[in-house]
Amino acid sequence: MNIANALDLRAKAAAILAENDRGHYTVPTKGLYPFQWNWDSCLTALGLAQIDENRGWLEMETLFAHQWPDGMVPHIVFHEQDDGYFPGPDVWQTGRPTPTSGITQPAVAGFAAKRLHDRARDKKLAETKARALLPLIDRWHQWFFANRDPANEGLVAILHPWESGRDNSIDWDEALERVPTDGIEPYTRRDLEHADAAHRPTKAQYDRYLWLVERFRSLGWDDAKLHDASPFKLVDPGFNAILLRSCEDLGDLAEGLGEGKIAKRNRDFAKRGLLAMERLWSDEHGQYLCHDRTSGELIESLSVGGLLAAFAAIPPSRAKAVAQRLGQLTQEARYLVPSHDPADPRFDGKRYWRGPAWLIVNYMIADGLARAGQSEMAATIRENSLALIEKSGFAEYYDPRTGEPLGGGSFTWTAAMVLDFLREEALG
Ligand code: DGY
C-alpha cells in the first residue's frame, strides 16, 4: 500500500476509535452494541495505545474493574442504561454492582497486556499497569481451568455460543438442537433494528441462546454448577488457542516482572493445553475441529475456529498445514478468512459467523502464523485484509466472496486491527 493510502486509512481508523470512545471504555459500534464487550475491548486496546498508551491500558483496567469475585470476567459490562440492546441487565439479573452479563468471552487479555507492555514507549507506565493487571488476568485463567475443565483435560468448554464470540457458527448447530426452547420468556430482539436480519442469527438460535441464559440464571450464576448443568458444552480450538496464547504470554510477562509463581502456573496451563489440542487435530481435513463434550465426538464442521488454533504455539507441522488450508481457501474466497468453508452447503457468506470474514480473526491467525515461521501466508492475510478495508470500509464483517460490508458500521475492533496491520506493514 502506498503511503498516502496508508495515512488515509490510519486517519479513518483513529476517527472511528474516537467516535466510539466513552472515556474509559469503547463501544463496539453505536446502536447495535452500546456497552463494553470483553474481547472487543482487549483487542481495541492495541489500537487505542497507538494513539495514547494510557488510554489503551485504561480500556483493559475498566474491563477488569468488573471482574467477578470468583475470577470470571463477564462478556458485557452494562455501563449505562440503553434499551436499544437485548438482552439487557433485567434479563441477566447477575446482581453485580454495575450490571454485567453472566458468561465470559475469549480470553485475549493476557496476549493484549503483553503486547501493550512490550511495545510501550512509556516503560515506567507500562510496568505499573502490567503489574496491576497481572494477578487479575491470572485469576481469570485459574477460573477457566477450575470451572470449565472440571475433569482436568487441559482444555476448557464454552457453555453458551455467545462465549465463543462466534455466536451462530455452524460448529454449534448439532449441539444447539439439544437445547430446548420451552418455557422461555417472551422477548423482542433489538439487534434487528440496527442490522439486516439476513446478516444476523435466526430466531431459532436466539430462542436457544435465551433458554441457556434463563437456565444459568435459575442456578444463581453459580459457576460451580453451570458446567455440568449445561446441555451445551463445546471445546472450541479457536477459543482454547486464544486462552493458551494468553497463558503463554502472561507467563512471559510475569517472568519479566519477577512474578515467578504466576509465570509457572500460566506456562503449565499453556503446556498442558497444547498437548490436549492434539486431540482436536484432523489429518483428513488439515485443521482442528471442535469437540462436543456431551456427545464425546469431534464435530465435522470446517470453521475458522479450527484455523484460529494457529494463534497458540501449535507444532510447526500443524501451523504449516493450517497455512496450506488457508491457501486452499484463497481459491474459494477472494477475501480472507471465511468463517466457514465456502465448499460446505451450509456456508452463508452474509450471515454473521456462518461464512463472513472478520478482521480480528485475520489478525490473530496472521500473528500466530508469523510467529510459527509461516510469514508468507501471514503477509497474504494482512495485505488481503487491508485491501478489503480500502474497498469496503470499517464494517463489523464482510462477505468473503464479494467484500460486501455487513452487520454494524464504523466498527471499533476493525479499526483497531487496521491500525495494527498498518503498523506491521510500516515495520516491514
Ligand atoms: C450479540 O448480542 O449479538 C452479541 O454477539 C452477544 O455478545
Side-chain angles (χ1 to χ4, degrees):
M1 177 176 302
N2 70 42
I3 292 184
N5 289 0
L7 286 175
D8 179 52
L9 270 195
R10 194 184 146 78
K12 285 180 177 148
I16 288 172
L17 293 187
E19 180 186 336
N20 293 336
D21 190 349
R22 298 292 172 272
H24 58 306
Y25 70 97
T26 49
V27 297
T29 185
K30 281 190 277 190
L32 188 57
Y33 305 120
F35 313 107
Q36 184 175 26
W37 261 259
N38 185 324
W39 70 323
D40 291 69
S41 264
C42 295
L43 291 166
T44 296
L46 302 177
L48 289 169
Q50 290 193 46
I51 297 157
D52 173 352
E53 286 184 3
N54 196 40
R55 182 64 188 81
W57 289 111
L58 179 59
E59 186 75 16
M60 293 186 65
E61 286 166 348
T62 304
L63 177 67
F64 277 86
H66 300 280
Q67 183 168 28
W68 283 21
D70 67 357
M72 199 272 277
V73 183
H75 100 293
I76 306 175
V77 182
F78 298 103
H79 291 284
E80 285 179 9
Q81 169 71 21
D82 192 321
D83 294 335
Y85 180 82
F86 174 86
D90 51 324
V91 176
W92 291 96
Q93 296 173 21
T94 54
R96 301 294 307 144
T98 300
T100 72
S101 71
I103 56 173
T104 194
Q105 243 183 353
V108 74
F111 161 78
K114 177 167 190 293
R115 188 143 285 191
L116 289 185
H117 176 268
D118 291 353
R119 279 184 186 168
R121 287 176 300 276
D122 188 339
K123 296 288 178 207
K124 210 164 146 236
L125 176 79
E127 183 175 333
T128 309
K129 299 291 187 186
R131 253 186 213 294
L133 278 172
L134 202 62
L136 309 183
I137 302 174
D138 175 45
R139 283 192 59 225
W140 190 22
H141 292 174
Q142 291 184 66
W143 172 87
F144 262 116
F145 289 101
N147 292 282
R148 300 307 184 80
D149 182 21
N152 231 351
E153 292 172 15
L155 297 176
V156 300
I158 53 156
L159 307 184
H160 194 296
W162 283 338
E163 292 200 310
S164 69
R166 300 190 294 114
D167 302 8
N168 66 341
S169 168
I170 291 164
D171 293 349
W172 323 136
D173 285 2
E174 246 178 76
L176 267 187
E177 271 177 30
R178 283 198 298 270
V179 176
T181 57
D182 45 296
I184 53 170
E185 290 161 10
Y187 67 94
T188 306
R189 285 173 65 172
R190 298 284 178 205
D191 56 321
L192 303 183
E193 290 162 20
H194 307 289
D196 188 332
H199 304 172
R200 295 283 305 170
T202 61
K203 170 167 174 2
Q205 285 155 351
Y206 254 78
D207 285 353
R208 286 164 176 85
Y209 299 160
L210 289 164
W211 188 91
L212 287 168
V213 169
E214 290 176 23
R215 172 84 179 113
F216 300 156
R217 188 180 72 194
S218 75
L219 296 171
W221 298 107
D222 178 351
D223 270 307
K225 296 188 184 141
L226 301 194
H227 181 278
D228 291 350
S230 178
F232 184 92
K233 280 190 270 290
L234 271 293
V235 179
D236 170 10
F239 188 93
N240 276 280
I242 293 172
L243 174 60
L244 298 179
R245 171 70 182 270
S246 279
C247 287
E248 185 193 337
D249 283 356
L250 199 76
D252 291 352
L253 187 58
E255 166 100 19
L257 294 172
E259 295 288 346
K261 254 169 95 173
I262 296 182
K264 171 149 181 13
R265 180 166 38 242
N266 281 274
R267 285 174 171 167
D268 286 350
F269 285 149
K271 209 163 131 196
R272 237 161 38 97
L274 284 163
L275 280 175
M277 279 277 267
E278 277 297 291
R279 296 202 292 272
L280 306 183
W281 176 258
S282 161
D283 262 335
E284 184 194 343
H285 298 298
Q287 68 164 81
Y288 295 83
L289 298 176
C290 290
H291 176 246
D292 187 331
R293 220 174 238 176
T294 308
S295 71
E297 301 196 339
L298 286 180
I299 301 169
E300 287 283 317
S301 169
L302 302 188
S303 80
V304 77
L307 305 171
L308 184 50
F311 190 46
I314 54 172
S317 60
R318 304 287 186 236
K320 188 170 172 206
V322 167
Q324 275 163 1
R325 173 100 186 94
L326 285 157
Q328 287 165 10
L329 289 171
T330 57
Q331 309 301 312
E332 296 173 36
R334 162 76 186 84
Y335 296 101
L336 290 171
V337 175
S339 47
H340 198 82
D341 184 351
D344 186 330
R346 297 169 295 180
F347 168 90
D348 180 342
K350 298 201 192 308
R351 205 180 275 282
Y352 215 38
W353 287 93
R354 298 178 81 84
W358 294 70
L359 231 66
I360 31 120
V361 172
N362 291 6
Y363 175 80
M364 289 186 277
I365 294 176
D367 184 273
L369 288 180
R371 207 167 71 117
Q374 298 297 326
S375 38
E376 206 175 305
M377 182 48 74
T380 300
I381 295 174
R382 185 182 69 222
E383 284 155 19
N384 186 292
S385 299
L386 289 174
L388 174 61
I389 304 301
E390 270 193 296
K391 170 186 157 75
S392 302
F394 295 80
E396 185 178 5
Y397 44 96
Y398 305 84
D399 187 323
R401 298 157 306 184
T402 61
E404 180 189 343
L406 305 165
S410 294
F411 219 83
T412 301
W413 69 6
T414 306
M417 296 299 92
V418 166
L419 289 178
D420 251 59
F421 275 139
L422 288 170
R423 180 182 189 279
E424 282 166 19
E425 192 146 282
L427 293 175

